[in-house]
């Protein structure tokens, strides 16, 4: 099981040492508010494919928090909730702060997947 949690712009990640949800800096500054539960949403429809040939693609359904009031969401952390350590997989910076007031907050992933890795040397 993977989850997507959202954080404010007050975190400063270090991609060499920040390895899991619930561990600094992902142990503080998670967004909160009506319609959002700490820990985020379970990922729906995760898929791993080789698309195009020589490229690993991880894709998932868009994440949504309906009837939510969320303030200043800046990034989302995809992490493995099934592992004891809640290991981080990918952090996505939205590029700006986004908020909702009694609305739907949706993270719409790109048509080419959440992320791709070129496997060709």
């Amino acid at each position: 099981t993977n989850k997507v949690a959202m954080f404010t712009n007050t975190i400063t990640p270090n991609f060499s040492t920040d390895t899991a949800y619930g561990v600094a800096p992902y142990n503080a500054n998670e967004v909160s508010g009506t319609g959002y539960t700490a820990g985020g949403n379970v990922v729906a429809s995760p898929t791993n494919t080789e698309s195009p040939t020589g490229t690993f693609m991880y894709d998932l359904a868009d994440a949504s928090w309906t009837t939510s009031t969320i303030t200043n969401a800046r990034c989302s952390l995809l992490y493995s909730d099934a592992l004891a350590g809640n290991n981080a997989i990918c952090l996505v910076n939205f590029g700006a702060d986004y908020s909702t007031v009694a609305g739907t907050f949706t993270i719409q992933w790109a048509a080419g997947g959440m992320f791709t890795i070129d496997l060709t040397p």
Side-chain angles (χ1 to χ4, degrees):
T1 304
N2 294 335
K3 284 187 162 184
V4 175
M6 293 192 294
F7 294 86
T8 66
N9 66 3
T10 55
I11 66 166
T12 304
N14 178 325
F15 296 108
S16 297
T17 60
D18 303 338
T19 59
Y21 174 82
V23 178
Y26 310 117
N27 61 347
N29 302 308
E30 186 170 358
V31 300
S32 62
T34 303
Y36 184 87
T37 301
N41 280 358
V42 173
V43 167
S45 306
T47 59
N48 298 308
T49 58
E50 184 181 4
S51 177
T53 300
T55 302
F56 169 81
M57 181 179 71
Y58 180 82
D59 200 8
L60 60 153
D62 296 343
S64 292
W65 290 264
T66 58
T67 319
S68 65
T69 299
I70 296 170
T71 303
N72 297 330
R74 171 54 71 103
C75 62
S76 65
L77 178 69
L78 172 68
Y79 69 98
S80 180
D81 185 50
L83 298 177
N86 291 327
N87 300 64
I89 298 169
C90 183
L91 181 73
V92 177
N93 186 329
F94 302 149
D97 294 342
Y98 292 94
S99 302
T100 56
V101 176
T104 300
F105 192 108
T106 300
I107 303 172
Q108 185 176 19
W109 308 112
M114 180 186 195
F115 64 86
T116 59
I117 300 172
D118 185 354
L119 303 173
T120 308

